[in-house]
Amino acid sequence: DVKVTQSSRYLVKRTGEKVFLECVQDMDHENMFWYRQDPGLGLRLIYFSYDVKMKEKGDIPEGYSVSREKKERFSLILESASTNQTSMYLCASSRPNREAFFGQGTRLTVV
Amino acid sequence: GNSVTQMEGPVTLSEEAFLTINCTYTATGYPSLFWYVQYPGEGLQLLLKATKADDKGSNKGFEATYRKETTSFHLEKGSVQVSDSAVYFCAPAGNFNKFYFGSGTKLNVKP
C-alpha cells in the first residue's frame, strides 16, 4: 500500500514562530503537494513539486515556503506563523497523470 | 484557469435512497477526472476515476461518467448506506497533475 505520512496529527504553535510540517511518501512518486482545507473553501493548493528541488506555487502560496531535498520528503514551512494560518494541512503524492494519495492531515492551531 | 463546481451540501438522505452529487468543471484540454471521499477525521481517499471522454469510473457501488460535451462528472449511487456518510470531492487534474478540488459535498445518510 502507498503510504503518505505526515509528521504530526495535531500541532499548536505561537504567532511568529517558524513552523515545519513534514511529509514522507514511500512509493517513489515524482509529484508531491501541500493543500490546506478550510470549512466552506474545500482544498486549496499551496505548493507542489514535480521533482527534487523543483517547486511551483499553487493558488495560495503567500506566507509559506517549501523544501524538497529528497524525492520522498516534502516540507511545508510557515516562516512566521499567523492566526489566519490555523487550518488543516494535507500532503499528497502521485505519479504523473495518476491519482493522488493523501496523508491523514495535520491540524495546526496558531495562538 | 481550471475550476470545479459541486452542488452545495449537506445532502441528507435515508438509507437505500438514490444519490446524485453534481460536478461540473472548466479546464484546459481534457483532464483526467477523479472523485475523492473523506471520512470523518481522515485524509482523502480515491473513490473512482475516469481518464477520457465517455469513460465510466466505478467503485463500492458509486459511478460517474466523463461527459466531455457538458464538462460534467456527476457521482451516483443507487442505494446509499449509513457508512457512506462522508464528504465527497470532485477533482479534475490539470497540468503536472495539479488537482483542483471543489468545496466538497457533505453527505449524511440516516438509518
Side-chain angles (χ1 to χ4, degrees):
Chain A
D1 278 355
V2 174
K3 200 167 179 71
V4 179
T5 303
Q6 294 183 229
S7 52
S8 306
R9 287 297 301 273
Y10 301 94
L11 214 50
V12 180
K13 296 292 182 181
R14 295 194 181 278
T15 302
E17 275 192 78
K18 190 169 186 176
V19 181
F20 293 85
L21 303 183
E22 307 286 348
C23 176
V24 176
Q25 51 98 0
D26 66 357
M27 285 302 291
D28 202 37
H29 285 171
E30 290 82 356
N31 297 336
M32 295 190 75
F33 309 83
W34 275 106
Y35 291 88
R36 65 177 281 177
Q37 182 177 17
D38 300 288
L41 297 178
L43 275 72
R44 293 179 292 168
L45 181 64
I46 304 172
Y47 268 97
F48 78 102
S49 168
Y50 51 92
D51 202 349
V52 174
K53 297 190 187 295
M54 306 304 289
K55 62 187 180 185
E56 288 211 8
K57 294 179 180 179
D59 299 317
I60 52 164
E62 297 78 17
Y64 303 95
S65 62
V66 290
S67 172
R68 193 158 180 211
E69 296 296 318
K70 293 185 177 182
K71 192 173 186 180
E72 66 271 19
R73 186 179 295 271
F74 192 38
S75 303
L76 180 69
I77 303 156
L78 286 65
E79 296 290 343
S80 178
S82 64
T83 54
N84 64 11
Q85 292 178 309
T86 291
S87 186
M88 171 70 86
Y89 290 87
L90 294 171
C91 175
S93 71
S94 77
R95 295 201 187 284
N97 300 314
R98 301 292 297 273
E99 63 269 26
F101 294 85
F102 283 81
Q104 287 196 292
T106 297
R107 186 166 293 282
L108 172 67
T109 302
V110 182
V111 298
Chain B
N2 294 3
S3 66
V4 57
T5 301
Q6 283 183 237
M7 63 189 290
E8 292 276 337
V11 174
T12 301
L13 296 173
S14 297
E15 208 165 20
E16 299 184 4
F18 184 86
L19 169 71
T20 300
I21 299 178
N22 291 337
C23 170
T24 57
Y25 64 90
T26 59
T28 304
Y30 302 108
S32 296
L33 301 175
F34 301 82
W35 276 100
Y36 282 84
V37 59
Q38 186 177 34
Y39 298 102
E42 298 185 14
L44 276 70
Q45 303 174 25
L46 177 68
L47 180 60
L48 53 83
K49 65 181 180 181
T51 57
K52 60 183 188 297
D54 300 325
D55 264 4
K56 179 186 281 189
S58 61
N59 185 28
K60 298 181 181 179
F62 291 89
E63 293 183 339
T65 301
Y66 192 141
R67 300 289 187 199
K68 184 177 71 173
E69 62 278 7
T70 55
T71 62
S72 64
F73 193 52
H74 304 322
L75 182 69
E76 297 182 336
K77 186 174 186 181
S79 176
V80 294
Q81 306 300 311
V82 171
S83 57
D84 293 327
S85 297
V87 182
Y88 292 82
F89 293 91
C90 179
N95 293 335
F96 291 106
N97 218 37
K98 285 168 62 176
F99 291 86
Y100 294 87
F101 288 89
S103 55
T105 302
K106 186 172 184 179
L107 171 66
N108 295 318
V109 180
K110 297 189 172 181

